[in-house]
């Protein structure tokens, strides 16, 4: 059967070929095998690989671009698009929801856990007046196979004693805290930073690459609960605030 005959079929054969190209490329992107910025094979290369017409390949690539998975550049080809997440500035958002909204599988990996007597720096971050026990946690949130955000968190064990017994292997500390401690007040600080060697290694980016840092403190009935720092590669994250005019 000729290429034209295969592509012009209105039945299952043409449809399955189109879906196969679509699925193959999508699976490589979502699995992380093709990272953001990876160049998709040119149309003529895919035409040869799948023994089909250029029209079939173009249709599959157009659907992937419409879904936000790839970016098509005139004369340069098609490239895996960097996922762009949006988080509301004034909300205590769950990173899992951010990642899944991108259509990517989520997982959390704990890197470090240390229970200790609070240092002066710990007390400054949490807003504590007196020394006490704290829990330090560092972990990575993944979108597919790619690091999405580095989380560095302090928990005031005087406010949440049971956190000292939790290993945080199966669940990230943010959702765990929200499910157990009713928060009454939160403070956000947002800034930019250049990735140092430690951050660059964790996020799999180049040292000096721009990052977006979101720091948050929460209180429960005036008791400091936690201070957390989320570090995102700058190109992959957008903060959104929606508000109305003040009255008066």
């Amino acid at each position: 059967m000729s290429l034209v005959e295969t592509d012009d079929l209105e039945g299952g054969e043409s449809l399955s070929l189109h879906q196969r190209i679509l699925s193959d490329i999508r699976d490589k992107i979502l699995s992380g095998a093709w990272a953001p910025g990876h160049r998709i094979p040119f149309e003529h290369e895919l035409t040869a690989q799948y023994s089909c017409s250029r029209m079939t390949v173009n249709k599959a690539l157009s659907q992937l671009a419409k879904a936000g998975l790839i970016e098509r550049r005139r004369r340069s080809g098609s490239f895996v698009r960097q996922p762009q997440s949006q988080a509301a500035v004034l909300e205590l958002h769950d990173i899992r929801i951010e990642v899944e909204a991108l259509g990517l599988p989520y997982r959390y990996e704990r890197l470090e856990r240390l229970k200790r007597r609070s240092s002066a720096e710990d007390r400054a971050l949490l807003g504590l007046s007196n020394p006490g026990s704290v829990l330090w946690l560092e972990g990575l949130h993944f979108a597919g196979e790619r690091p999405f955000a580095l989380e560095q968190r302090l928990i005031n064990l005087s406010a949440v004693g049971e956190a000292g017994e939790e290993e945080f292997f199966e669940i990230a500390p943010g959702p765990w805290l929200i499910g157990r401690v009713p928060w009454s007040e939160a403070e956000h600080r947002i800034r930019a930073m250049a990735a140092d060697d430690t951050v660059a290694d964790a996020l799999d980016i180049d040292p000096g690459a721009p990052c977006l840092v979101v720091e948050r403190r929460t209180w429960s009935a005036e008791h400091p609960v936690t201070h957390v720092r989320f570090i995102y590669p700058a190109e992959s994250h957008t903060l959104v605030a929606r508000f109305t005019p003040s009255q008066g």
Side-chain angles (χ1 to χ4, degrees):
M1 184 179 289
S2 70
L3 298 183
V4 174
E5 289 173 334
T6 302
D7 293 333
D8 286 345
L9 284 173
E10 295 181 358
E13 189 171 356
S14 177
L15 177 62
S16 64
L17 180 56
H18 163 256
Q19 290 295 337
R20 180 184 162 201
I21 298 170
L22 191 68
S23 296
D24 286 353
I25 296 176
R26 182 184 59 213
D27 290 347
K28 286 185 173 67
I29 294 172
L30 297 184
S31 69
W34 287 356
H38 177 89
R39 184 181 68 76
I40 308 297
F42 287 115
E43 285 190 12
H44 71 270
E45 295 173 321
L46 292 171
T47 296
Q49 178 181 343
Y50 289 94
S51 299
C52 64
S53 76
R54 199 155 182 166
M55 182 182 299
T56 299
V57 169
N58 186 274
K59 182 180 177 183
L61 293 179
S62 294
Q63 282 190 244
L64 290 164
K66 187 176 181 180
L69 292 176
I70 69 171
E71 177 184 2
R72 307 190 75 181
R73 304 174 190 169
R74 189 176 182 183
R75 298 181 181 177
S76 298
S78 299
F79 298 83
V80 178
R81 190 173 181 180
Q82 177 69 48
Q84 284 283 337
S85 72
Q86 294 188 352
V89 178
L90 302 180
E91 293 180 1
L92 301 191
H93 58 278
D94 186 343
I95 291 183
R96 174 190 288 273
I97 295 174
E98 286 184 62
V99 171
E100 291 179 347
L102 297 171
L104 297 171
Y106 167 85
R107 69 182 175 91
Y108 172 77
E109 178 182 319
R110 197 198 77 185
L111 301 178
E112 185 177 355
R113 179 186 182 278
L114 178 63
K115 193 189 300 185
R116 67 190 183 206
R117 188 73 169 170
S118 62
S119 65
E121 182 180 359
D122 293 338
R123 294 192 292 276
L125 289 174
L126 285 166
L128 295 173
S129 302
N130 301 310
S133 295
V134 298
L135 181 67
W136 160 258
L137 295 161
E138 186 170 56
L140 270 176
H141 299 267
F142 285 83
E145 297 301 314
R146 298 284 299 175
F148 182 77
L150 176 65
E151 176 178 334
Q152 299 171 333
R153 183 182 292 268
L154 272 172
I155 299 176
N156 176 18
L157 293 180
S158 297
V160 199
E162 60 186 305
E165 308 304 318
E166 177 65 44
E167 292 295 331
F168 295 105
F169 280 127
E170 302 298 326
I171 185 172
W176 186 93
L177 285 167
I178 290 174
R180 286 164 176 77
V181 184
W183 64 279
S184 57
E185 186 178 354
E187 172 189 88
H188 281 90
R189 294 179 182 270
I190 303 163
R191 61 185 174 88
M193 68 169 283
D196 58 23
D197 290 342
T198 301
V199 170
D201 183 62
L203 293 176
D204 193 21
I205 57 178
D206 294 330
C211 294
L212 179 68
V213 182
V214 179
E215 293 187 76
R216 183 172 71 223
R217 284 195 294 177
T218 56
W219 291 262
S220 178
E222 300 184 355
H223 298 292
V225 174
T226 187
H227 173 277
V228 61
R229 180 183 297 118
F230 297 107
I231 305 175
Y232 300 86
E235 63 181 6
S236 68
H237 199 70
T238 301
L239 294 174
V240 179
R242 183 173 181 176
F243 49 91
T244 58
S246 60
Q247 303 296 320

